[in-house]
Amino acid sequence: MSDEREIWVRHFFYLALFAAAFHSLQFLASLTLWISTSSPALMAYGLDAVVSAMAATVLATRIQREWRNKFVAYGYMAASAGAFYLGASMLWKGLRPKPDVLGIAVAAVSMLVIPIVGSYMKSLAVELRSQALKSAAIFTFGNSYLSMVLLIALLMSYGMNLGWGDPLGALVMFPFMAQKGIQILLEEGKHEYVED
């Protein structure tokens, strides 16, 4: 392996570790806030974050090989089932979560950080000519969609006093999280090079 390629691999390794740490913090923040607010959108977001942290950790340890595997896929599917259950049960029971501005801050910070990490990850994937790493970057970009859904759901609940906005946010996250798991299962084991 050339010295330049080793540098790119090392950069990607550190970036994957940073992504794993950031997703872990998202999970801990979401879990802590869920305990005090009972927000299904926050917990759904946290479930996705913990699986994303696991995926980033696998990515960091397997940069030279394929990171997508069945455990990560099933993790996303379980998280999506949890999101559906949390959102649907709260809507069905007519319960209203306690709005909290800290959840809005978690979503806003995530919307700022995740696209930056995804952009840098994609640049490194192109330098390393790895389709698997490029797909990891695309998954990272996809997490900014969940941050946006969370932010809108919490703003509806907190700013507009619409109690159904929060559980609806969890239901909107559910198919996207399931799709990530299905996509990993469909693409598992593919090895291609990135040209652009």
Side-chain angles (χ1 to χ4, degrees), residues 29 33 36-37 39 42 97-109 150-151 154-155 157-159 166:
L33 290 169
S36 63
T37 65
S39 166
L42 268 169
K98 300 172 194 162
D100 192 328
V101 73
L102 291 176
I104 295 170
V106 168
V109 168
L150 176 64
L151 183 62
L154 295 179
L155 285 173
S157 180
Y158 184 80
D166 193 308

Side-chain angles (χ1 to χ4, degrees), residues 103-171:
I104 295 170
V106 168
V109 168
S110 296
M111 279 190 67
L112 293 173
V113 172
I114 290 174
I116 294 169
V117 171
S119 295
Y120 190 49
M121 200 177 272
K122 184 179 178 202
S123 298
L124 291 174
V126 170
E127 289 295 333
L128 293 169
R129 296 175 50 84
S130 169
Q131 184 62 38
L133 299 183
K134 185 179 178 187
S135 71
I138 291 168
F139 268 68
T140 302
F141 277 121
N143 286 337
S144 60
Y145 167 78
L146 292 179
S147 300
M148 180 187 67
V149 171
L150 176 64
L151 183 62
I152 291 169
L154 295 179
L155 285 173
M156 287 174 70
S157 180
Y158 184 80
M160 303 169 88
N161 201 26
L162 299 172
W164 50 266
D166 193 308
L168 183 64
L171 290 175

Side-chain angles (χ1 to χ4, degrees), residues 13 18 28 33 40 58 62-63 66 69 119 145 151 160 169:
F13 173 75
F18 173 79
L28 291 174
L33 290 169
V58 170
R62 299 182 60 135
I63 287 177
E66 182 54 64
N69 64 51
S119 295
Y145 167 78
L151 183 62
M160 303 169 88

